[in-house]
Amino acid sequence: MQDLTKQETIALREKYIGKSCQLFFRDNPLKIVKGKAQYLYDESGDQYLDCINNVAHVGHCHPDVVEAGCAQMTELNTNSRFLHDNIVLCAKRIVSTMPRGLSVCFFVNSGSEANDLALRLAQIHTGNKDVIALEHAYHGHLTSLIEISHYKFNLPGGIGQKDHVHIAPIPDSYRGKYRNDRYSDEEIGELYADEVGQICENAKNKNGAGISAFIAESMISCGGQVIPPKNYFSQVYKYVRAAGGVCIADEVQVGFGRIGHHWWAFEDYDVRPDIVTMGKPMGNGHPIAAVVTTPEIAASFFGTGVEYFNTYGGNPVSCAIANAVFDTIERENLRERAVTVGEYLLDCCQQLAKKHHLIGDVRGAGLFVGIDIVEDRQSRRPNRSCAEFVRQRMREEHILISLDGPDCNIIKLKPPMVFSKGNVNEVVAALDTVLEEYKHKTDTDTIQTPAAGRANVKKHRPTTSTFKKLIKSM
């Protein structure tokens, strides 16, 4: 295959790829040519610590996962309507991690397909159409999912809210409608759940039927790394089921042990969904996803008489890779690692917040952490300018982070599960340096933002000893 220069790649992309398909660091995109474990490498061989990729769940190009895919590809990869072992073994593996009653699997190619199928299952089983989703939520790029994704349809150029879609307030105790400066955690959970209860009541009064489904990420990613109150989902599920609906847990971002203590983030709330969707980390970058549901809901779907098949969903190669991902998580104790490294990451970021008033809140579970960048802690106003400065400067320090939330002010950390405490030290030390730079910038206005150019900035990448000293001093 021909090797292109970075500029040649950019030129061909501008000519042949849709403009809506945007890149990280779009003004000066990275050209990544190699990945290994928690690192990515550009065309010049420069190494970057990847804090973004929850897709490469067990690490980029994990040799055992690569070998499993290659070995199966040399034997067979064909239409999923032929009988083969890998799909049933993968289904058995998934069900073994689920609560009792969630025992029927459907295989698809992506998280978007999984969520689309989940909505279809819910509508057929309940006979209702109305869906409740959360403010700022994103569930995928299919038309059915854009319709319920406030993160997308509410944009200036979005499609707007459809009549069958109801949006509940995001259960954000820091920045949302009910905040922890006025209410206890338990009160916050009840108040946000009651909002869903009111929607259920209004829907029943309006259409005389009820709700088809409530869908939510178990921990909310695009909405700003939000961790719902512990009592939220249990109360919401009661309201939804009383209104005739089913409860869908979207685990596309946070499943497969990312929170450490459990395989699935919904388990942290002591609830049992009616449908669970999963994707991204399932294939470590290979396109495979799944829907898991109850025998009753699956029977309703079968009872329509309309055959369901997915040509590639659950094909032999994809399932071999998913089985290897499961094996790797267990063999390398990656859930346990997510607990120990995740707790260390959360603690270090919270200690950093004591030093920098620009950090308003630090929240997370396992290797799913958000840092809320603010103008000041009293108002909690989002500081998008600072967050963007940090993102660009961290890239210059060869650490890749991303931003999310409705105001793009949340530093989102979702690294591969092989992330180490040494990596935490590196990230926190670099954040400390960059936040000091931004403070100096705002105090003296002598440092330009990275997007405008870095000619006036003297770069300083902390050494390993600096990391250790910083962490010890906090």
Side-chain angles (χ1 to χ4, degrees), residues 384-424:
R384 185 171 185 170
S385 171
C386 177
E388 179 59 25
F389 179 89
V390 171
R391 185 178 77 101
Q392 295 287 351
R393 279 290 292 114
M394 291 291 280
R395 175 220 170 128
E396 292 176 359
E397 298 298 331
H398 288 207
I399 298 172
L400 303 180
I401 62 170
S402 61
L403 305 178
D404 230 319
D407 299 291
C408 292
N409 70 303
I410 312 299
I411 295 172
K412 183 166 64 172
L413 302 174
K414 295 185 300 181
M417 297 279 278
V418 291
F419 212 65
S420 69
K421 287 186 177 181
N423 297 144
V424 172

Short mmCIF file of all heavy atoms in Angstrom, two decimals, residues 384-424:
data_model
loop_
_atom_site.label_atom_id
_atom_site.label_comp_id
_atom_site.label_asym_id
_atom_site.label_seq_id
_atom_site.Cartn_x
_atom_site.Cartn_y
_atom_site.Cartn_z
N ARG A 384 -15.15 27.16 28.91
CA ARG A 384 -14.82 26.46 27.67
C ARG A 384 -13.45 26.89 27.14
O ARG A 384 -12.70 26.07 26.60
CB ARG A 384 -15.89 26.75 26.63
CG ARG A 384 -15.73 25.99 25.34
CD ARG A 384 -16.95 26.15 24.45
NE ARG A 384 -16.85 25.34 23.26
CZ ARG A 384 -17.85 25.14 22.41
NH1 ARG A 384 -19.04 25.69 22.65
NH2 ARG A 384 -17.69 24.39 21.34
N SER A 385 -13.12 28.15 27.32
CA SER A 385 -11.83 28.66 26.83
C SER A 385 -10.67 27.94 27.50
O SER A 385 -9.72 27.50 26.85
CB SER A 385 -11.74 30.16 27.08
OG SER A 385 -10.44 30.64 26.80
N CYS A 386 -10.76 27.79 28.81
CA CYS A 386 -9.70 27.10 29.54
C CYS A 386 -9.64 25.63 29.14
O CYS A 386 -8.56 25.08 28.92
CB CYS A 386 -9.93 27.23 31.05
SG CYS A 386 -8.72 26.34 32.04
N ALA A 387 -10.79 24.99 29.03
CA ALA A 387 -10.82 23.57 28.67
C ALA A 387 -10.18 23.33 27.31
O ALA A 387 -9.41 22.38 27.13
CB ALA A 387 -12.26 23.06 28.68
N GLU A 388 -10.47 24.21 26.35
CA GLU A 388 -9.89 24.06 25.01
C GLU A 388 -8.38 24.31 25.05
O GLU A 388 -7.60 23.62 24.38
CB GLU A 388 -10.57 25.01 24.03
CG GLU A 388 -10.02 24.96 22.61
CD GLU A 388 -10.10 23.58 21.97
OE1 GLU A 388 -10.98 22.77 22.37
OE2 GLU A 388 -9.27 23.31 21.07
N PHE A 389 -7.96 25.29 25.85
CA PHE A 389 -6.53 25.55 26.02
C PHE A 389 -5.83 24.30 26.56
O PHE A 389 -4.78 23.88 26.06
CB PHE A 389 -6.33 26.73 26.97
CG PHE A 389 -4.89 27.07 27.23
CD1 PHE A 389 -4.21 27.97 26.42
CD2 PHE A 389 -4.20 26.49 28.30
CE1 PHE A 389 -2.87 28.29 26.67
CE2 PHE A 389 -2.87 26.80 28.54
CZ PHE A 389 -2.20 27.70 27.73
N VAL A 390 -6.45 23.69 27.57
CA VAL A 390 -5.88 22.49 28.18
C VAL A 390 -5.79 21.36 27.15
O VAL A 390 -4.77 20.67 27.04
CB VAL A 390 -6.71 22.05 29.40
CG1 VAL A 390 -6.25 20.68 29.90
CG2 VAL A 390 -6.59 23.08 30.52
N ARG A 391 -6.85 21.15 26.39
CA ARG A 391 -6.86 20.08 25.39
C ARG A 391 -5.72 20.23 24.39
O ARG A 391 -5.00 19.27 24.09
CB ARG A 391 -8.20 20.07 24.67
CG ARG A 391 -8.37 18.90 23.70
CD ARG A 391 -9.75 18.93 23.05
NE ARG A 391 -9.81 19.94 21.99
CZ ARG A 391 -9.72 19.69 20.69
NH1 ARG A 391 -9.53 18.44 20.27
NH2 ARG A 391 -9.82 20.65 19.80
N GLN A 392 -5.55 21.44 23.88
CA GLN A 392 -4.51 21.68 22.89
C GLN A 392 -3.12 21.55 23.50
O GLN A 392 -2.21 20.96 22.89
CB GLN A 392 -4.69 23.07 22.27
CG GLN A 392 -5.96 23.24 21.46
CD GLN A 392 -5.92 22.52 20.12
OE1 GLN A 392 -4.89 22.01 19.70
NE2 GLN A 392 -7.06 22.47 19.45
N ARG A 393 -2.94 22.10 24.69
CA ARG A 393 -1.61 22.03 25.32
C ARG A 393 -1.24 20.62 25.74
O ARG A 393 -0.08 20.21 25.65
CB ARG A 393 -1.57 22.97 26.53
CG ARG A 393 -1.31 24.41 26.16
CD ARG A 393 0.14 24.63 25.66
NE ARG A 393 1.10 24.45 26.76
CZ ARG A 393 1.99 23.47 26.81
NH1 ARG A 393 2.10 22.57 25.85
NH2 ARG A 393 2.81 23.39 27.85
N MET A 394 -2.23 19.85 26.17
CA MET A 394 -1.95 18.45 26.53
C MET A 394 -1.50 17.67 25.29
O MET A 394 -0.62 16.80 25.38
CB MET A 394 -3.19 17.81 27.16
CG MET A 394 -3.53 18.36 28.53
SD MET A 394 -2.34 17.94 29.83
CE MET A 394 -2.87 16.28 30.22
N ARG A 395 -2.07 17.98 24.16
CA ARG A 395 -1.63 17.34 22.93
C ARG A 395 -0.15 17.65 22.69
O ARG A 395 0.63 16.78 22.28
CB ARG A 395 -2.47 17.82 21.75
CG ARG A 395 -1.97 17.26 20.40
CD ARG A 395 -2.06 18.32 19.33
NE ARG A 395 -1.37 17.92 18.10
CZ ARG A 395 -1.91 17.94 16.89
NH1 ARG A 395 -3.15 18.36 16.73
NH2 ARG A 395 -1.21 17.59 15.85
N GLU A 396 0.25 18.92 22.94
CA GLU A 396 1.66 19.29 22.76
C GLU A 396 2.56 18.55 23.75
O GLU A 396 3.74 18.33 23.49
CB GLU A 396 1.82 20.79 22.92
CG GLU A 396 1.16 21.58 21.78
CD GLU A 396 1.24 23.07 21.98
OE1 GLU A 396 1.79 23.50 23.01
OE2 GLU A 396 0.76 23.81 21.11
N GLU A 397 1.98 18.17 24.88
CA GLU A 397 2.73 17.36 25.85
C GLU A 397 2.61 15.87 25.54
O GLU A 397 3.00 15.02 26.34
CB GLU A 397 2.19 17.63 27.26
CG GLU A 397 2.34 19.07 27.73
CD GLU A 397 3.79 19.52 27.81
OE1 GLU A 397 4.67 18.65 28.04
OE2 GLU A 397 4.04 20.73 27.64
N HIS A 398 2.02 15.56 24.37
CA HIS A 398 1.87 14.20 23.87
C HIS A 398 0.93 13.36 24.75
O HIS A 398 1.12 12.16 24.94
CB HIS A 398 3.22 13.51 23.73
CG HIS A 398 4.02 14.05 22.58
ND1 HIS A 398 4.97 13.30 21.92
CD2 HIS A 398 4.02 15.26 21.95
CE1 HIS A 398 5.51 14.03 20.95
NE2 HIS A 398 4.93 15.23 20.95
N ILE A 399 -0.10 14.04 25.26
CA ILE A 399 -1.17 13.38 26.01
C ILE A 399 -2.49 13.77 25.36
O ILE A 399 -2.80 14.95 25.23
CB ILE A 399 -1.16 13.80 27.50
CG1 ILE A 399 0.16 13.37 28.16
CG2 ILE A 399 -2.35 13.18 28.23
CD1 ILE A 399 0.35 13.90 29.57
N LEU A 400 -3.28 12.77 24.95
CA LEU A 400 -4.50 13.03 24.21
C LEU A 400 -5.71 12.94 25.15
O LEU A 400 -5.97 11.89 25.75
CB LEU A 400 -4.66 12.04 23.07
CG LEU A 400 -3.50 11.99 22.07
CD1 LEU A 400 -3.78 10.97 20.98
CD2 LEU A 400 -3.23 13.37 21.46
N ILE A 401 -6.43 14.06 25.27
CA ILE A 401 -7.67 14.09 26.04
C ILE A 401 -8.76 14.64 25.12
O ILE A 401 -8.48 15.19 24.06
CB ILE A 401 -7.55 14.97 27.30
CG1 ILE A 401 -7.26 16.43 26.91
CG2 ILE A 401 -6.49 14.42 28.25
CD1 ILE A 401 -7.35 17.41 28.05
N SER A 402 -10.01 14.50 25.53
CA SER A 402 -11.11 15.08 24.78
C SER A 402 -12.02 15.85 25.73
O SER A 402 -11.93 15.71 26.95
CB SER A 402 -11.90 14.00 24.03
OG SER A 402 -12.46 13.08 24.94
N LEU A 403 -12.89 16.67 25.14
CA LEU A 403 -13.82 17.49 25.91
C LEU A 403 -15.24 17.07 25.58
O LEU A 403 -15.54 16.66 24.46
CB LEU A 403 -13.64 18.97 25.56
CG LEU A 403 -12.24 19.56 25.72
CD1 LEU A 403 -12.24 21.02 25.28
CD2 LEU A 403 -11.74 19.44 27.15
N ASP A 404 -16.12 17.20 26.57
CA ASP A 404 -17.52 16.91 26.32
C ASP A 404 -18.39 17.70 27.27
O ASP A 404 -17.91 18.57 28.00
CB ASP A 404 -17.80 15.41 26.46
CG ASP A 404 -18.56 14.88 25.25
OD1 ASP A 404 -19.49 15.58 24.78
OD2 ASP A 404 -18.25 13.78 24.79
N GLY A 405 -19.68 17.38 27.26
CA GLY A 405 -20.66 18.15 28.00
C GLY A 405 -21.28 19.20 27.11
O GLY A 405 -20.72 19.55 26.06
N PRO A 406 -22.44 19.72 27.47
CA PRO A 406 -23.14 20.70 26.62
C PRO A 406 -22.34 21.96 26.38
O PRO A 406 -22.57 22.66 25.40
CB PRO A 406 -24.44 20.98 27.40
CG PRO A 406 -24.17 20.52 28.79
CD PRO A 406 -23.22 19.39 28.68
N ASP A 407 -21.40 22.28 27.27
CA ASP A 407 -20.57 23.48 27.12
C ASP A 407 -19.13 23.16 26.74
O ASP A 407 -18.27 24.05 26.76
CB ASP A 407 -20.60 24.30 28.42
CG ASP A 407 -22.00 24.76 28.77
OD1 ASP A 407 -22.52 25.63 28.05
OD2 ASP A 407 -22.59 24.25 29.74
N CYS A 408 -18.86 21.89 26.41
CA CYS A 408 -17.51 21.45 26.02
C CYS A 408 -16.45 21.90 27.03
O CYS A 408 -15.35 22.32 26.64
CB CYS A 408 -17.16 21.98 24.63
SG CYS A 408 -18.12 21.26 23.31
N ASN A 409 -16.77 21.79 28.29
CA ASN A 409 -15.83 22.20 29.34
C ASN A 409 -15.41 21.05 30.25
O ASN A 409 -14.70 21.26 31.23
CB ASN A 409 -16.44 23.30 30.20
CG ASN A 409 -17.56 22.79 31.09
OD1 ASN A 409 -18.54 22.22 30.60
ND2 ASN A 409 -17.43 22.96 32.38
N ILE A 410 -15.86 19.84 29.93
CA ILE A 410 -15.53 18.69 30.76
C ILE A 410 -14.38 17.93 30.13
O ILE A 410 -14.48 17.45 28.99
CB ILE A 410 -16.73 17.73 30.92
CG1 ILE A 410 -18.01 18.49 31.28
CG2 ILE A 410 -16.41 16.64 31.94
CD1 ILE A 410 -17.95 19.23 32.57
N ILE A 411 -13.26 17.83 30.85
CA ILE A 411 -12.16 16.99 30.40
C ILE A 411 -12.56 15.54 30.65
O ILE A 411 -12.84 15.15 31.78
CB ILE A 411 -10.86 17.33 31.14
CG1 ILE A 411 -10.42 18.76 30.80
CG2 ILE A 411 -9.76 16.33 30.80
CD1 ILE A 411 -9.25 19.24 31.63
N LYS A 412 -12.60 14.77 29.58
CA LYS A 412 -13.11 13.40 29.63
C LYS A 412 -11.94 12.43 29.58
O LYS A 412 -11.15 12.45 28.64
CB LYS A 412 -14.05 13.20 28.45
CG LYS A 412 -14.73 11.86 28.38
CD LYS A 412 -15.90 11.87 27.40
CE LYS A 412 -15.47 12.11 25.99
NZ LYS A 412 -16.59 11.91 25.03
N LEU A 413 -11.82 11.57 30.57
CA LEU A 413 -10.75 10.58 30.63
C LEU A 413 -11.37 9.19 30.59
O LEU A 413 -12.03 8.75 31.52
CB LEU A 413 -9.92 10.76 31.90
CG LEU A 413 -9.26 12.14 32.09
CD1 LEU A 413 -8.58 12.23 33.45
CD2 LEU A 413 -8.27 12.42 30.97
N LYS A 414 -11.17 8.49 29.47
CA LYS A 414 -11.66 7.12 29.30
C LYS A 414 -10.57 6.31 28.60
O LYS A 414 -10.73 5.88 27.46
CB LYS A 414 -12.94 7.11 28.45
CG LYS A 414 -14.13 7.81 29.09
CD LYS A 414 -15.38 7.64 28.24
CE LYS A 414 -15.18 8.23 26.87
NZ LYS A 414 -16.40 8.10 26.01
N PRO A 415 -9.45 6.09 29.24
CA PRO A 415 -8.31 5.45 28.57
C PRO A 415 -8.50 3.95 28.43
O PRO A 415 -9.40 3.35 29.06
CB PRO A 415 -7.16 5.75 29.54
CG PRO A 415 -7.82 5.77 30.89
CD PRO A 415 -9.16 6.42 30.65
N PRO A 416 -7.67 3.29 27.63
CA PRO A 416 -7.67 1.83 27.60
C PRO A 416 -7.46 1.27 29.00
O PRO A 416 -6.84 1.91 29.87
CB PRO A 416 -6.47 1.50 26.69
CG PRO A 416 -6.34 2.71 25.80
CD PRO A 416 -6.70 3.87 26.67
N MET A 417 -7.97 0.08 29.23
CA MET A 417 -7.96 -0.50 30.58
C MET A 417 -6.56 -0.88 31.07
O MET A 417 -6.40 -1.25 32.23
CB MET A 417 -8.86 -1.73 30.59
CG MET A 417 -10.32 -1.43 30.30
SD MET A 417 -11.22 -0.83 31.73
CE MET A 417 -11.61 -2.38 32.52
N VAL A 418 -5.57 -0.81 30.19
CA VAL A 418 -4.19 -1.11 30.61
C VAL A 418 -3.49 0.12 31.17
O VAL A 418 -2.30 0.06 31.48
CB VAL A 418 -3.39 -1.71 29.42
CG1 VAL A 418 -3.90 -3.09 29.09
CG2 VAL A 418 -3.45 -0.79 28.21
N PHE A 419 -4.20 1.22 31.29
CA PHE A 419 -3.67 2.44 31.88
C PHE A 419 -3.05 2.12 33.24
O PHE A 419 -3.56 1.29 34.00
CB PHE A 419 -4.82 3.42 32.07
CG PHE A 419 -4.47 4.88 31.94
CD1 PHE A 419 -4.02 5.39 30.73
CD2 PHE A 419 -4.62 5.75 33.00
CE1 PHE A 419 -3.73 6.74 30.59
CE2 PHE A 419 -4.33 7.10 32.88
CZ PHE A 419 -3.88 7.59 31.68
N SER A 420 -1.93 2.81 33.57
CA SER A 420 -1.20 2.51 34.80
C SER A 420 -1.15 3.72 35.73
O SER A 420 -1.48 4.84 35.34
CB SER A 420 0.24 2.11 34.45
OG SER A 420 0.96 3.24 33.96
N LYS A 421 -0.72 3.48 36.97
CA LYS A 421 -0.54 4.59 37.91
C LYS A 421 0.53 5.55 37.41
O LYS A 421 0.45 6.75 37.65
CB LYS A 421 -0.18 4.06 39.30
CG LYS A 421 -1.35 3.40 40.02
CD LYS A 421 -0.98 3.03 41.45
CE LYS A 421 -2.18 2.45 42.19
NZ LYS A 421 -1.85 2.10 43.60
N GLY A 422 1.54 5.02 36.73
CA GLY A 422 2.55 5.89 36.14
C GLY A 422 1.95 6.81 35.10
O GLY A 422 2.31 7.99 35.01
N ASN A 423 1.01 6.29 34.31
CA ASN A 423 0.30 7.14 33.35
C ASN A 423 -0.50 8.22 34.07
O ASN A 423 -0.56 9.37 33.60
CB ASN A 423 -0.64 6.30 32.50
CG ASN A 423 0.06 5.27 31.63
OD1 ASN A 423 -0.45 4.17 31.43
ND2 ASN A 423 1.23 5.60 31.12
N VAL A 424 -1.12 7.86 35.18
CA VAL A 424 -1.87 8.85 35.98
C VAL A 424 -0.95 9.97 36.42
O VAL A 424 -1.27 11.17 36.30
CB VAL A 424 -2.53 8.19 37.21
CG1 VAL A 424 -3.13 9.26 38.13
CG2 VAL A 424 -3.59 7.19 36.78
#
